[in-house]
Amino acid sequence: MGLDFSVIPKYIDIILLGCAWTIGITVAAAILSFAGGIVFAVIALYAPWLIRQPFRFFEWLFMGTPLLLQLFLIYFGLVQIGIDLPAFVAGIIGLGLHFAVYNSELIQTAILSVDKGQMEAARTLGLSRTEALRKVVVPQAVRAVIPPIGNNMIALLKDSALVSVIGVSELTLSAQRAIGATYRPFEFYLLAAACYYVINLAMEWVQRKIERRISISR
Amino acid sequence: MLKVYPFFLEAAWLTVLLSILTALLGLTCGALGAAARLSRFALLRFLGAAYVSVIRGTPALIQLFILYFGGPQIGIQLDAFEAGVIGLGVNAGAYMTETIRGAIISIDKGQREASRTLGLSQWQMMYKVVLPQSARLMVRPLGVNINALIKATALLAAISVVELTYTAQRYIGSTYKPFEMFLLAGVLYMIIIYVTGRGIAWLDRKVQIT
């Protein structure tokens, strides 16, 4: 059985719709992971001991187990305790939480590297600790981590393929549907790979633009 | 619950075996990739860069599917285990290429100039001056690559290799206890990751001179 790429045009709609879903899921999970990363970083650094320590343990758990397992746990496991999420919501939450933990690691380092004088100055000017964090320290830290977070978001795009396994009709599952109808795995997986590659290149382009803007305004 | 433990332990062992084989293949591909990217020949540099860009630009899951499901169409017939090791190994190799290349080019330029001045050949310079120093810089970042690769072996559940994640899925069918099964698999992954992490840290201390 050789290769025959002429079957592709008939299924191009399904694949493009899959691309749209993949982009949508990636963007939603990216936003969740960014916001979550900031919240997690602040908790890991500044919350009282009783909250901080269990939280660090939770972060350690997330970093030490495969994403696929976490997705299964959220999608199939939570049903057991009465939480039945639609697959795409479970996918976005799983991807978002997973990458929030990785972003939080980056943001924690960045917060610690913001000069101590900044916090002291903010306190002297009459800002409360929370205000100082929210208005002075965190904004500076976030800016410093945008390039490495960009790398995480590109990793997130590729890991979004995993949500096909819990039945979200994104690019990978769309390719599988087309394969189910045509028995042409090589052609359609290659097409899906090409789509991911193009989205990936677009993300890298955006990342470079943002990095340039940050380095100019500094 | 008790009845499933032996099966999980067996699956954990397979995950360890898969990780070791994948890591070895990954390191080989990484070393070759880095050599290609740093080569004098433009064609090799291009091939190395294309390898890294294409592999890192597409999902590992899709790469596995192309190899395992698409392979037979172009005459490559592999069983799930072989496809898994080759697919993940080649994938990890692309990330390791960048790690190894990074460690090599971070060695100060003056060192190369000095070795040339002392009359060392290109090979002597690489083997006696540059590599011994960059090897020390590689251990920790390669450890990060290996950590990622262990977790990536979970993807092989999708091509039905009976490793940890697949085993957890399978026993959910008979026990209806998804939470417990995934948690048990999670604990075993944590143990594998933890032990590997300690091993890498030990190796890293061992190779530092200071």
Side-chain angles (χ1 to χ4, degrees):
Chain A
M1 183 159 129
L3 299 181
D4 177 15
F5 287 92
S6 65
V7 291
I8 286 176
K10 214 177 134 194
Y11 294 90
I12 201 77
D13 289 354
I14 302 179
I15 300 293
L16 287 178
L17 190 65
C19 284
W21 270 97
T22 285
I23 294 169
I25 288 168
T26 304
V27 170
I31 293 169
L32 182 62
S33 77
F34 189 64
I38 295 172
V39 175
F40 288 0
V42 170
I43 295 177
L45 289 175
Y46 299 105
W49 191 90
L50 256 181
I51 300 173
R52 197 171 68 223
Q53 286 310 324
F55 186 77
R56 287 207 172 147
F57 178 70
F58 153 84
E59 282 203 320
W60 185 67
L61 270 184
F62 255 76
M63 295 185 84
T65 51
L67 173 59
L68 189 62
L69 199 72
Q70 292 162 17
L71 286 173
F72 282 148
L73 195 64
I74 290 170
Y75 185 57
F76 298 113
L78 288 185
V79 176
Q80 210 179 342
I81 52 171
I83 305 172
D84 193 358
L85 298 167
F88 84 97
V89 176
I92 290 170
I93 292 176
L95 283 170
L97 279 182
H98 184 82
F99 281 92
V101 170
Y102 282 90
N103 287 345
S104 150
E105 289 287 308
L106 295 171
I107 296 169
Q108 281 175 45
T109 325
I111 288 179
L112 291 176
S113 69
V114 170
D115 192 58
K116 262 200 164 156
Q118 298 274 341
M119 176 60 115
E120 284 159 12
R123 297 302 300 270
T124 317
L125 289 169
L127 272 71
S128 73
R129 216 172 123 85
T130 323
E131 274 179 322
L133 268 180
R134 197 161 54 87
K135 294 186 176 159
V136 180
V137 178
V138 170
Q140 292 183 64
V142 164
R143 203 168 207 202
V145 289
I146 283 188
I149 281 188
N151 293 339
N152 275 357
M153 296 305 96
I154 289 170
L156 193 158
L157 164 71
K158 287 171 281 164
D159 279 344
S160 75
L162 296 193
V163 300
S164 67
V165 180
I166 58 170
V168 183
S169 306
E170 41 65 79
L171 187 45
T172 305
L173 193 60
S174 304
Q176 278 166 350
R177 294 247 162 85
I179 291 162
T182 58
Y183 301 105
R184 295 253 160 222
F186 194 89
E187 289 87 340
F188 281 102
Y189 283 133
L190 202 65
L191 177 65
C195 293
Y196 278 111
Y197 192 64
V198 170
I199 302 172
N200 180 67
L201 287 181
M203 283 179 81
E204 281 177 2
W205 182 78
V206 171
Q207 187 192 19
R208 273 200 300 277
K209 283 260 156 179
I210 295 173
E211 273 176 42
R212 200 168 304 151
R213 178 164 280 185
I214 293 172
S215 63
I216 289 170
S217 60
R218 247 192 207 146
Chain B
M1 252 323 247
L2 271 174
K3 270 195 278 183
V4 303
Y5 286 123
F7 297 104
F8 272 78
L9 286 180
E10 207 174 305
W13 166 241
L14 190 63
T15 290
V16 170
L17 184 68
L18 283 165
S19 305
I20 292 171
L21 292 175
T22 308
L24 289 177
L25 182 59
L27 284 168
T28 313
C29 290
L32 290 175
R37 288 212 62 181
L38 295 168
S39 162
R40 274 177 296 154
F41 304 108
L43 180 67
L44 282 179
R45 281 202 303 275
F46 170 78
L47 287 176
Y51 165 56
V52 170
S53 172
V54 169
I55 297 287
R56 298 209 310 177
T58 52
L61 191 65
I62 294 280
Q63 292 159 18
L64 283 172
F65 285 164
I66 291 181
L67 187 62
Y68 183 60
F69 296 115
Q73 273 176 272
I74 53 167
I76 303 172
Q77 207 100 32
L78 298 168
D79 66 35
F81 184 88
E82 294 162 349
V85 170
I86 294 173
L88 285 183
V90 170
N91 179 273
Y95 291 87
M96 289 176 170
T97 296
E98 288 303 272
T99 306
I100 294 172
R101 189 180 78 104
I104 290 175
I105 59 178
S106 69
I107 300 299
D108 191 58
K109 235 189 164 178
Q111 304 249 357
R112 292 159 199 266
E113 285 160 10
S115 359
R116 298 315 288 267
T117 316
L118 289 169
L120 299 184
S121 71
Q122 179 84 18
W123 285 107
Q124 283 174 318
M125 177 191 84
M126 247 349 214
Y127 278 103
K128 302 208 162 139
V129 181
V130 177
L131 283 180
Q133 296 181 74
S134 48
R136 297 193 171 88
L137 299 174
M138 277 174 213
V139 175
R140 207 176 273 267
L142 281 177
V144 175
N145 292 146
I146 289 174
N147 177 302
L149 159 173
I150 295 171
K151 287 180 271 177
T153 59
L155 299 188
L156 301 185
I159 57 171
S160 58
V161 176
V162 192
E163 43 68 73
L164 261 178
T165 304
Y166 186 85
T167 305
Q169 274 179 295
R170 175 193 270 181
Y171 283 98
I172 287 162
S174 54
T175 59
Y176 297 105
K177 289 197 168 88
F179 215 82
E180 287 87 336
M181 295 299 126
F182 287 133
L183 227 48
L184 180 55
V187 168
L188 289 166
Y189 275 114
M190 294 293 301
I191 294 172
I192 298 171
I193 297 266
Y194 180 75
V195 171
T196 315
R198 291 309 290 260
I200 301 276
W202 174 82
L203 192 64
D204 187 51
R205 272 199 308 279
K206 200 89 176 155
V207 296
Q208 299 307 326
I209 337 170
T210 44

